């Protein structure tokens, strides 16, 4: 079964940290870019961070730059998102996705496999 499974979400106070993980099964991710997106209630899904196939190039939304760090371990087929200095506006369902090519991208249309999402709630 082809799937991406996110974990690590939860409830945290503002200023706190969480680390999200995404594990791929049934599909290879080592040759593809990976990304994190999020969707808050009543809002469209938005780009958070992306990383190229080898992990040497990353890209962040301005709203998370300097606070979030994306990384990957191709040997373990995993993707991570370290989130520090969390703010209430970071509250959303976070999704990991596999890209259609090796280069990182901020566009959802450049991703063709998606996880089910993990809830992150930041209280003020």
């Amino acid at each position: 079964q082809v799937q991406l499974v996110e974990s690590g979400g939860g409830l945290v106070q503002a200023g706190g940290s969480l680390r999200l993980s995404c594990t791929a099964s049934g599909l290879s991710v080592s040759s593809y870019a990976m990304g994190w997106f999020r969707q808050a209630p009543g809002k469209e899904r938005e780009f958070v961070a992306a990383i190229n196939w080898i992990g040497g190039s990353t890209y962040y939304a301005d709203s998370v730059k300097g606070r979030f760090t994306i990384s990957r371990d191709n040997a373990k087929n995993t993707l991570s998102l370290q989130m520090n200095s969390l703010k209430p506006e970071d509250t959303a369902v976070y999704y990991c996705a596999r890209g259609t090519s090796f280069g990182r991208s901020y566009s959802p249309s450049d991703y063709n496999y998606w996880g089910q999402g993990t809830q992150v709630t930041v209280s003020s």
Side-chain angles (χ1 to χ4, degrees):
Q1 184 178 3
V2 175
Q3 60 180 353
L4 296 171
V5 179
E6 301 95 339
S7 62
L11 173 64
V12 64
Q13 289 189 332
S17 299
L18 283 174
R19 185 176 181 86
L20 304 184
S21 295
C22 172
T23 301
S25 61
L27 78 164
S28 172
V29 300
S30 61
S31 299
Y32 299 89
M34 298 288 291
W36 287 98
F37 293 78
R38 66 187 182 186
Q39 188 166 17
K43 295 187 177 181
E44 294 187 353
R45 189 170 299 189
E46 66 173 1
F47 169 76
V48 174
I51 189 167
N52 73 339
W53 71 284
I54 198 65
S57 179
T58 57
Y59 185 38
Y60 297 93
D62 287 343
S63 59
V64 307
K65 200 172 296 182
R67 300 188 297 122
F68 290 11
T69 302
I70 188 172
S71 61
R72 67 187 299 163
D73 185 338
N74 285 343
K76 297 181 179 179
N77 251 15
T78 59
L79 176 74
S80 297
L81 184 69
Q82 178 65 43
M83 305 187 295
N84 298 329
S85 301
L86 283 162
K87 304 175 181 180
E89 51 263 44
D90 294 318
T91 295
V93 177
Y94 283 70
Y95 300 89
C96 71
R98 194 199 80 168
T100 57
S101 69
F102 58 86
R104 53 169 177 72
S105 171
Y106 65 87
S107 173
S109 62
D110 289 330
Y111 295 82
N112 56 355
Y113 287 99
W114 294 81
Q116 293 300 305
T118 185
Q119 177 71 48
V120 172
T121 303
V122 184
S123 63
S124 57

